[in-house]
């Protein structure tokens, strides 16, 4: 396998490539987002993870389109359909709204942000994303915070849409799933499901919001490699083959979180860091019932 670099990309089931290291802008105020995204570009990131619910799509779009000077095709932009829009009409309208807000011409990746709304609305929202791909508005599609039972249901919906819409591929291609994933929330069942189906795994909260600083194994590895505990966790995520989405508004930390390519954990260390805990630090819609 080629050594990981900040330019490493992962080929998605859609055929497009996604930069493996992403930059998250959750809770980044709209009036700060442009500035911090530009800091991320300066540090080498080329992948920005936003959402309609973050209220900063416009600022991210401004940074990508205007301020950065980067060609559009060099930046990968993700956004998400919020839970109140999980329906056919809601998701269809959100695609157009996100395009208008960001001004980007197309969206690289659009996710359903959570598995709320009930089965019929989840199917309708997915159908809207499939149509957006067909219309050239969105390139790749996926889901966020889906449990295995939601993912199984989505497979059924894709098969139903293929039958209803006239054949193979007409149900859409699930390219990406996004979850809180780190050594204390490894989600082995979801990871196994995704890997079997070539679904790329985006990991939010990869540094666990700092809530696990001081864990003995983490401290030991940080000291061994002369790295911060955050850098060790981001490296763990990269070596697992995930797409980590660290976030920060502090320029030094933005750069530091990208400086993870001059050391490599051993396979034994990757395994040692991972636990059997299920201790998410963010919301956890994965456990919600199908009728939520």
């Amino acid at each position: 396998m080629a050594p990981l670099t900040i330019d490493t990309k992962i080929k998605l089931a859609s055929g497009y490539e996604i930069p493996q290291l992403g930059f998250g802008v959750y809770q980044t105020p709209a009036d700060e987002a442009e500035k911090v995204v530009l800091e991320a570009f300066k540090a080498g990131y080329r992948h920005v993870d936003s959402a309609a619910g973050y209220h900063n799509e416009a600022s991210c779009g401004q940074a990508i389109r205007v301020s950065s000077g980067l060609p559009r095709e060099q930046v990968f932009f993700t956004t998400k359909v919020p839970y109140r829009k999980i329906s056919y009409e809601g998701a269809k309208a959100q695609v157009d709204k996100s395009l208008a807000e960001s001004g980007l011409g197309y969206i690289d990746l659009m996710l359903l942000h959570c598995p709320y709304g009930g089965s019929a609305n989840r199917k309708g929202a997915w159908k809207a994303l499939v149509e957006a791909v067909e219309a050239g508005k969105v390139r790749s599609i996926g889901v966020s915070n889906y449990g295995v039972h939601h993912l199984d249901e989505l497979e059924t919906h894709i098969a139903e849409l293929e039958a209803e819409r006239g054949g193979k591929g007409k149900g859409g291609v699930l390219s990406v799933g996004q979850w809180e994933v780190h050594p204390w929330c490894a989600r082995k069942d979801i990871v196994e499901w995704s890997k079997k189906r070539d679904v790329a795994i985006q990991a939010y909260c990869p540094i666990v919001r700092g809530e696990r600083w001081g864990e003995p194994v983490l401290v030991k590895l940080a000291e061994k490699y002369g790295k911060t505990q955050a850098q060790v966790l981001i490296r763990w995520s990269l070596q697992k083959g995930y797409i980590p989405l660290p976030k920060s508004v502090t320029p030094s930390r933005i750069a530091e979180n990208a400086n993870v390519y001059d050391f490599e954990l051993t396979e034994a260390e990757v395994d040692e860091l991972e636990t059997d805990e299920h201790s998410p630090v963010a919301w956890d819609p994965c456990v919600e019932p199908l009728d939520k």
Side-chain angles (χ1 to χ4, degrees):
M1 197 172 85
L4 297 175
T5 73
I6 200 162
D7 299 317
T8 297
K9 293 184 171 71
I10 290 174
K11 183 82 171 279
L12 300 177
S14 62
Y16 290 99
E17 290 185 325
I18 184 170
Q20 190 181 6
L21 181 66
F23 180 70
V25 292
Y26 172 61
Q27 288 188 332
T28 303
D31 59 356
E32 287 184 48
E34 181 181 356
K35 182 178 72 176
V36 299
V37 168
L38 290 175
E39 286 291 342
F41 291 156
K42 198 189 303 179
Y45 299 81
R46 292 295 183 267
H47 167 187
V48 178
D49 182 80
S50 183
Y54 302 170
H55 307 293
N56 54 26
E57 291 171 307
S59 304
C60 293
Q62 176 73 11
I64 295 166
R65 280 184 301 111
V66 182
S67 312
S68 70
L70 294 168
R72 169 67 184 93
E73 64 273 12
Q74 287 186 15
V75 180
F76 192 101
F77 179 71
T78 301
T79 192
K80 309 178 192 79
V81 178
Y83 73 93
R84 287 193 174 89
K85 299 287 183 72
I86 303 290
S87 66
Y88 176 74
E89 293 298 340
K92 188 174 181 178
Q94 186 59 56
V95 169
D96 290 336
K97 186 176 181 187
S98 291
L99 278 170
E101 286 275 325
S102 65
L104 290 175
Y106 64 87
I107 291 164
D108 293 280
L109 175 64
M110 193 102 180
L111 306 176
L112 301 180
H113 207 154
C114 58
Y116 295 165
S119 183
N121 281 327
R122 284 191 292 273
K123 180 179 176 180
W126 181 257
K127 180 183 176 183
L129 294 192
V130 174
E131 291 177 352
V133 171
E134 293 169 348
K137 297 175 179 180
V138 175
R139 291 190 164 181
S140 302
I141 55 177
V143 296
S144 182
N145 299 302
Y146 272 43
V148 168
H149 54 309
H150 302 115
L151 294 166
D152 286 340
E153 178 197 67
L154 176 58
E155 272 199 323
T156 301
H157 288 161
I158 288 171
E160 289 171 355
L161 287 168
E162 285 185 340
E164 292 162 13
R165 303 183 72 239
K168 186 84 175 150
K170 291 291 188 177
V173 176
L174 175 61
S175 289
V176 174
Q178 185 178 126
W179 296 275
E180 177 182 343
V181 180
H182 48 70
W184 299 276
C185 189
R187 301 197 188 276
K188 291 173 186 174
D189 57 339
I190 288 170
V191 168
E192 182 184 0
W193 192 100
S194 301
K195 284 187 171 177
K196 278 183 182 172
R197 294 158 178 84
D198 194 29
V199 176
I201 297 165
Q202 289 183 319
Y204 68 81
C205 296
I207 61 175
V208 209
R209 296 181 175 171
E211 292 186 18
R212 292 291 185 152
W213 296 163
E215 291 278 348
V217 176
L218 187 55
V219 170
K220 178 183 76 173
L221 293 173
E223 289 176 351
K224 174 182 174 179
Y225 291 106
K227 289 291 181 177
T228 67
Q229 293 174 60
Q231 288 170 320
V232 169
L233 288 173
I234 293 166
R235 183 72 201 191
W236 177 88
S237 194
L238 292 168
Q239 287 186 221
K240 291 286 283 187
Y242 305 153
I243 300 163
L245 306 169
K247 64 173 287 283
S248 179
V249 295
T250 307
S252 60
R253 285 197 186 134
I254 291 170
E256 187 179 90
N257 289 342
N259 183 20
V260 291
Y261 297 100
D262 57 353
F263 75 108
E264 183 175 356
L265 302 172
T266 67
E267 282 186 34
E269 289 166 345
V270 170
D271 292 342
E272 185 185 15
L273 200 47
E274 186 169 324
T275 74
D276 290 323
E277 280 188 43
H278 181 77
S279 302
V281 293
W283 64 336
D284 195 17
C286 298
V287 301
E288 298 290 355
L290 289 174
D291 59 1
K292 170 81 174 184

